[in-house]
Amino acid sequence: MQTNPAYTSLVAVGDSFTEGMSDLLPDGSYRGWADLLATRMAARSPGFRYANLAVRGKLIGQIVDEQVDVAAAMGADVITLVGGLNDTLRPKCDMARVRDLLTQAVERLAPHCEQLVLMRSPGRQGPVLDRFRPRMEALFAVIDDLAGRHGAVVVDLYGAQSLADPRMWDVDRLHLTAEGHRRVAEAVWQSLGHEPEDPEWHAPIPATPPPGWVTRRTADVRFARQHLLPWIGRRLTGRSSGDGLPAKRPDLLPYEDPAR
């Protein structure tokens, strides 16, 4: 990996994590780690171009069918691929199929960029992670193997203590806060060979007094009503939160930070 490389383009491929949920901007759109990374990269490379093909709720098969060939055709310097985690959270998950589809994605993307970036996704501490941990770790083993065979960089977010902290996660308990996305952007930035802006992004955050019983129960009820029950409803009816939504930034165009 070269030090302080001058990449001129970035394409991001994936689901809600790469779309940027829940890093909400004042206009109601999402920013997220990929936009933050693009902002940093654009500051180093005049005319820097960026596309973000991610759509919330997508399974790895949909990512392969709808995003991978589009991303490969763009010929960007850097392509990030994060997918498969939504599959592992489904009650029925064929891990062999997930492995095969992820392999297809990497094999199609790696020859068409200077640097492919894969990730071991972060996991929030709690019973949900404990339940699905074996599937997640099986997915990460596939990612590590593919990276070794295709020269991809793996960003280890799963091993970062800071990103396991529940305070880094939004009320839906599925998506990172703005601070969580900032730390992911920093992790990818460093993995691409740039000088750290936050060398301690992965370190545990300072302890704070735990919320009281009433606060916790109120949060649990809010979570169940606003997020868990709708999620179960979509699973039962075969719907996705991303149905009918377009890619976040479908064209590889010069990039300016929308938050400015």
Side-chain angles (χ1 to χ4, degrees):
M1 178 65 61
Q2 57 183 314
T3 303
N4 292 322
Y7 294 118
T8 63
S9 52
L10 167 69
V11 175
V13 174
D15 50 34
S16 60
F17 175 68
T18 301
E19 184 183 345
M21 298 175 71
S22 293
D23 184 6
L24 195 64
L25 292 171
D27 66 359
S29 64
Y30 292 109
R31 182 176 55 179
W33 66 265
D35 283 12
L36 292 169
L37 178 65
T39 298
R40 290 193 189 186
M41 297 172 76
R44 287 180 173 266
S45 301
F48 181 84
R49 297 175 301 149
Y50 169 52
N52 189 325
L53 305 181
V55 178
R56 68 195 71 171
K58 294 299 183 181
L59 302 174
I60 187 60
Q62 294 170 308
I63 291 172
V64 170
D65 291 343
E66 300 167 12
Q67 300 179 32
V68 166
D69 287 343
V70 176
M74 289 178 173
D77 288 351
V78 177
I79 298 177
T80 65
L81 168 64
V82 187
L85 195 63
N86 283 336
D87 297 78
T88 69
L89 298 178
R90 296 297 177 99
K92 295 181 180 180
C93 174
D94 184 346
M95 287 303 298
R97 182 172 183 272
V98 171
R99 178 198 63 217
D100 291 345
L101 288 167
L102 193 58
T103 299
Q104 289 180 37
V106 171
E107 289 178 344
R108 292 185 199 175
L109 292 173
H112 296 282
C113 62
E114 183 176 337
Q115 184 61 66
L116 179 63
V117 177
L118 307 176
M119 296 188 196
R120 295 161 60 93
S121 301
R124 182 183 185 274
Q125 291 174 351
V128 173
L129 176 63
D130 291 340
R131 177 182 178 186
F132 295 103
R133 189 186 301 273
R135 289 182 184 175
M136 292 175 63
E137 293 184 348
L139 175 67
F140 299 154
V142 173
I143 289 170
D144 290 343
D145 176 65
L146 289 169
R149 290 194 281 122
H150 295 277
V153 169
V154 177
V155 183
D156 184 16
L157 306 174
Y158 182 67
Q161 290 181 291
S162 64
L163 295 179
D165 192 308
R167 291 172 291 175
M168 286 288 175
W169 296 76
D170 193 46
V171 293
D172 66 1
R173 304 180 185 180
L174 285 174
H175 300 105
L176 292 171
T177 61
E179 174 60 14
H181 280 282
R182 184 196 69 78
R183 292 180 183 239
V184 173
E186 176 68 30
V188 183
W189 175 256
Q190 293 183 27
S191 296
L192 288 172
H194 295 291
E195 289 294 327
E197 295 186 12
D198 177 10
E200 302 300 322
W201 69 267
H202 49 76
I205 60 178
T208 57
W213 185 89
V214 172
T215 300
R216 296 198 306 273
R217 296 293 78 79
T218 300
D220 288 343
V221 170
R222 179 186 177 192
F223 162 70
R225 182 177 65 250
Q226 296 184 2
H227 302 288
L228 180 60
L229 292 177
W231 184 85
I232 293 173
R234 290 194 297 271
R235 297 292 79 74
L236 293 176
T237 57
R239 294 178 292 116
S240 167
S241 58
D243 286 349
L245 294 180
K248 178 177 182 177
R249 186 180 170 89
D251 300 310
L252 187 61
L253 297 172
Y255 180 68
E256 294 183 1
D257 183 3
R260 290 183 176 177

